Amino acid sequence: MQAPIQTRAPLRIQSLPSASTLRFSLPFVVLRRTNRRPVRVRCCATGCGNNPRPPAQQQRRSYPFDEIEPRWHRYWEENRTFRTPDEVDTSKPKCYILDMFPYPRQGLIRRSQQSEILNASGLRYLKEYLLLFCPKKDYANNAKFFLKSSMYILILLKSLGFSYDWDREISTTEPEYYKWTQWIFLQLLKKGLAYQAEVPVNWCPALATVLANEEVVNGVSERGGYPVIRKPMRQWMLKITAYADRLLEDLDELDWSESIKEMQQNWIGRSEGAELKFNVVSTQGCEQGVELPVYTTRPDTIFGATYLVLAPEHHLLPSLISEAQHESVEEYRDLAAKKSELERTDLQKEKSGVFSGSYAKNPATGEVIPIWIADYVLGSYGTGAIMAVPAHDSRDHEFALKYIIPIIRVVSPFDESCDLGGPYLGDGVMVNSSNSVSGLNINGLSCKDAASEVINWLERTGYGKKKVNYKLRDWLFARQRYWGEPFPVIYLDDTGEVVPLPENELPLTLPELDDFTPTGTGEPPLAKATSWVKTMDPISGRPAKREMSTMPQWAGSCW
C-alpha cells in the first residue's frame, strides 16, 4: 500500500563545493530543502499494512540527519567499527566484491555511487582509489588537484557511511603501488605480450592525447566535447587477442546469463575465413609488384568479387593513389578521420567512397577490378581491405549501385521462389564460379563445400590461406599525458632499440614539472622534462631516451 503524501518538501543532497574551495572538515553530507513537487513513495516498514492514512499530526517528522549521522560517524571512527581483524575467521563463507574505483572528478563520484551503495552495505572490503588520470582538460596534469580530490573522496565516502576498513586503503598514485604496475608491464614485455605498433587512434588535438573508443561520443571527447580525429601513431599495445579463444571457451564455466555471454561472444567476434592476395596491376593487367592481402569470411564468393575496398587509413594507400585522384582521395581521408568507428560502420548511413585510381587482379577470374576507398571498412579489422561481392553483401550492394560497379551473382538459393530483388545473403548452390585458366571450379557445390575448396586452392597456388580472425583488438596501452605511470623502458640513441629497465630500478617516478601544457608538436608533456628524458642505459652506459608517453588511467586498477 502506498504511504501518504508527504506534507513537507523532500530532502536531496546539495551540490558539494568544488575541490579548489573545499575545507576538509565536513562531518557529513550537506543536505538542503528543495521546492520540487513531492512524490509518493512506497513504504515497506513494519506496521504500514493496510492502515488508512494517519492524520497529519501523527505523520513522522523528516529524518534528523544532522542529529543522527555525525554521532554515528564519530562512533565508527573512535571504535574502528569496520576494521578487518588480522586473524580472519576462515570458517565463514568467502565473499569477494569487484567494484568500480571511485574516480575523482572535481570531487564527485557520480557513476560509481549507486554500485558503491549497493555493494558496501554491511560489508567490509579493501578500498582502492584510481587517481592516476583526470580527463578534465583544466586538471589533466595537476598533481595537487588529485591530492585534494582524493581527500574530498575520502570525506564523501565516509559521510555516506560505507563500511570500509580505512586502515587497508591503497592508492594507485603511490610509487610503492605503481612499482608493481611497472613490474607487471615488464613481464608482459618479456613474454611478447606488450609491443609497439603504428595504429589508427582517436586523437584529440585540444586535449593533446589519445582517447579510447569509449571516451569518444559522436566524434567528440566524452569530457569537454572537443573534436576527435583518427590519426596513425606508434603506440604501446597489449596482446589480449592471444587469449581470445580462451576467453570464449571459459565463458561456459561462468554463472552468467545467456544474454551476457552472447554479448561477450559478439565482442570477441571470432570468425573463420581466408586471407587472399590480390596483385595490384596496371589498366592493361601488368602486375606492379604490390600484393594486397584481403580477409573474407566468404571465400566461396570469390568469383563475385568485382572490386576491392581499402580503409582510408590503410598503410599501402599512399602508394596506390593515382595523380589524377590524389586531391579527391585526400579530401575523403580528411573527412573519414573526423568520424568515429561507430559512425563509419553504421549500417543505416549512406555509403560513400572514392576511386583510388588503381586496379587489382582477381586471382580466381583473372579479371582486372578497381580499388576503391570507403570508410565502412576499418583499418583495425582484418587486413584493412575487403573483396567486395555486391550480389551477396548488403553494404557492397548499396555501394555498387551508387557507383555503378558490376554485380555478379554466384550463389543460387535452394528455394528457387526466393525473391532476388536485392543481395542474396543465404546459403545455396554455387553458380558462375568456374575458370579454366585459374583451374578453380566450384559450380554446383554448397557454400560450405565451396569455401573449403577455395581455401585448398588458395593454399595450393600460394594466393592465400585459411585464417581465423577476431573483432577483439589488442589493447592500446599508452596516453600522451603527464599524469600516469611512466613506462619502464628506454630507447638507445644510436639504434632506437627498446631496452627494459632492470627490475631493481623500479619504481621509475615522474619528474616534477611546472608546465604541463601540450607541447604543440604532438609530443607528450614529458618531452619538456629534458633532463629526465635524456638518460643512460644502466647496463651498457650508452646514451638513451625515456618513453615520454604514460600508461592509461586504468593501468593501476587492472591487477
Side-chain angles (χ1 to χ4, degrees):
M1 180 178 178
Q2 288 182 328
I5 296 178
Q6 301 172 11
T7 57
R8 299 179 65 182
L11 292 171
R12 71 176 183 184
I13 297 180
Q14 183 182 13
S15 298
L16 292 168
S18 65
S20 60
T21 60
L22 179 65
R23 299 295 180 266
F24 298 110
S25 58
L26 293 176
F28 49 82
V29 178
V30 179
L31 303 177
R32 67 177 174 86
R33 298 282 174 194
T34 176
N35 292 322
R36 290 179 60 185
R37 183 180 177 181
V39 296
R40 288 182 180 271
V41 294
R42 190 172 296 275
C43 178
C44 61
T46 304
C48 282
N50 296 315
N51 292 336
R53 179 185 303 178
Q57 65 269 21
Q58 295 180 9
Q59 290 187 21
R60 297 178 181 176
R61 67 188 182 97
S62 298
Y63 169 57
F65 62 90
D66 52 345
E67 301 171 11
I68 295 176
E69 294 196 9
R71 175 163 54 89
W72 282 106
H73 290 152
R74 285 192 298 270
Y75 178 87
W76 294 333
E77 190 79 23
E78 293 168 0
N79 293 273
R80 304 178 73 186
T81 303
F82 305 126
R83 184 178 181 278
T84 302
D86 295 328
E87 297 295 328
V88 179
D89 184 357
T90 57
S91 66
K92 294 181 179 180
K94 294 181 179 179
C95 178
Y96 175 73
I97 297 179
L98 179 62
D99 200 4
M100 287 181 61
F101 275 27
Y103 287 70
R105 299 175 187 160
Q106 288 184 288
L108 301 179
I109 299 182
R110 296 184 187 177
R111 283 186 301 182
S112 61
Q113 266 185 317
Q114 293 179 355
S115 63
E116 295 272 359
I117 292 170
L118 289 173
N119 289 338
S121 179
L123 298 170
R124 305 172 192 173
Y125 59 99
L126 183 64
K127 192 66 219 169
E128 303 150 298
Y129 289 126
L130 177 58
L131 300 176
L132 276 173
F133 167 59
C134 176
K136 193 78 173 172
K137 182 182 179 184
D138 299 338
Y139 296 104
N141 300 307
N142 192 331
K144 293 181 180 179
F145 168 77
F146 279 87
L147 294 176
K148 182 174 287 188
S149 187
S150 64
M151 287 295 295
Y152 188 96
I153 291 282
L154 175 65
I155 293 171
L156 182 56
L157 290 175
K158 285 188 174 184
S159 70
L160 291 173
F162 292 164
S163 52
Y164 297 139
D165 180 357
W166 295 103
D167 291 342
R168 294 172 178 260
E169 176 191 359
I170 58 175
S171 171
T172 59
T173 60
E174 297 299 330
E176 292 79 7
Y177 182 97
Y178 68 73
K179 165 186 178 178
W180 297 106
T181 305
Q182 294 173 333
W183 180 87
I184 291 172
F185 177 83
L186 290 178
Q187 311 316 305
L188 296 174
L189 185 62
K190 291 175 186 177
K191 295 290 185 180
L193 296 172
Y195 66 97
Q196 286 184 303
E198 187 166 284
V199 293
V201 298
N202 300 312
W203 173 256
C204 180
L207 297 176
T209 192
V210 172
L211 302 177
N213 288 334
E214 58 269 22
E215 295 173 318
V216 181
V217 180
N218 297 325
V220 298
S221 60
E222 182 185 18
R223 298 174 186 89
Y226 302 106
V228 176
I229 62 172
R230 298 288 286 175
K231 175 181 178 180
M233 292 184 68
R234 191 162 184 81
Q235 298 279 22
W236 280 103
M237 311 287 292
L238 295 187
K239 201 171 185 179
I240 60 174
T241 52
Y243 298 91
D245 285 329
R246 180 176 169 185
L247 287 170
L248 276 173
E249 294 162 2
D250 289 353
L251 284 175
D252 295 334
E253 301 178 16
L254 295 177
D255 184 19
W256 289 359
S257 67
E258 291 304 315
S259 60
I260 295 296
K261 289 184 180 182
E262 184 179 357
M263 289 173 61
Q264 290 291 306
Q265 290 167 348
N266 294 337
W267 173 65
I268 296 168
R270 187 182 192 275
S271 63
E272 294 185 4
E275 188 171 284
L276 299 76
K277 298 175 184 176
F278 284 75
N279 288 314
V280 177
V281 297
S282 65
T283 52
Q284 291 76 35
C286 299
E287 294 187 2
Q288 304 295 298
V290 179
E291 292 181 341
L292 273 176
V294 167
Y295 175 75
T296 178
T297 58
R298 293 292 304 273
D300 54 307
T301 61
I302 188 172
F303 283 92
T306 57
Y307 64 103
L308 299 183
V309 183
L310 270 61
E313 59 272 14
H314 196 286
H315 68 283
L316 289 178
L317 189 54
S319 63
L320 300 176
I321 305 172
S322 68
E323 185 175 347
Q325 290 296 108
H326 187 271
E327 184 175 349
S328 299
V329 171
E330 288 305 315
E331 287 180 2
Y332 186 79
R333 294 181 75 185
D334 288 342
L335 288 173
K338 297 175 183 177
K339 297 180 183 178
S340 68
E341 290 190 357
L342 190 61
E343 291 176 295
R344 288 173 54 177
T345 55
D346 183 2
L347 295 177
Q348 304 304 317
K349 83 174 185 71
E350 182 182 0
K351 302 298 176 287
S352 65
V354 62
F355 178 48
S356 69
S358 294
Y359 299 84
K361 180 184 288 186
N362 185 321
T365 66
E367 297 290 331
V368 174
I369 59 177
I371 301 173
W372 284 74
I373 300 121
D375 62 8
Y376 72 85
V377 176
L378 302 177
S380 55
Y381 179 72
T383 64
I386 65 165
M387 67 174 201
V389 185
H392 305 288
D393 183 274
S394 299
R395 296 180 306 172
D396 298 345
H397 186 266
E398 183 182 341
F399 192 92
L401 289 178
K402 181 175 181 178
Y403 294 103
I404 317 176
I405 301 173
I407 299 174
I408 301 175
R409 192 171 299 279
V410 294
V411 179
S412 178
F414 294 122
D415 182 3
E416 296 182 357
S417 63
C418 184
D419 181 15
L420 296 180
Y424 176 66
L425 310 180
D427 198 2
V429 177
M430 307 309 300
V431 296
N432 302 321
S433 299
S434 175
N435 185 280
S436 58
V437 176
S438 65
L440 180 60
N441 181 4
I442 53 176
N443 278 333
L445 296 179
S446 67
C447 291
K448 183 177 180 180
D449 292 340
S452 297
E453 182 59 33
V454 170
I455 290 173
N456 291 336
W457 174 80
L458 290 170
E459 292 177 342
R460 285 198 312 269
T461 58
Y463 281 118
K465 60 184 178 180
K466 185 176 182 178
K467 180 82 172 179
V468 175
N469 207 3
Y470 303 92
K471 288 182 181 178
L472 178 70
R473 300 164 195 172
D474 285 342
W475 192 9
L476 197 154
F477 201 69
R479 294 291 184 269
Q480 284 62 53
R481 303 173 180 135
Y482 166 79
W483 192 241
E485 298 96 334
F487 283 95
V489 297
I490 58 174
Y491 302 88
L492 298 180
D493 285 355
D494 51 358
T495 64
E497 178 188 355
V498 179
V499 177
L501 288 180
E503 293 178 11
N504 60 11
E505 293 205 0
L506 301 181
L508 172 62
T509 58
L510 289 169
E512 292 189 8
L513 286 178
D514 294 326
D515 180 12
F516 304 104
T517 56
T519 59
T521 64
E523 289 184 306
L526 281 177
K528 298 180 179 182
T530 52
S531 60
W532 181 85
V533 172
K534 293 181 180 180
T535 185
M536 304 287 287
D537 179 6
I539 298 177
S540 67
R542 294 151 67 185
K545 290 184 176 64
R546 298 194 191 278
E547 171 64 71
M548 292 179 285
S549 295
T550 54
M551 298 186 197
Q553 66 267 29
W554 10 255
S557 66
C558 291
W559 58 272

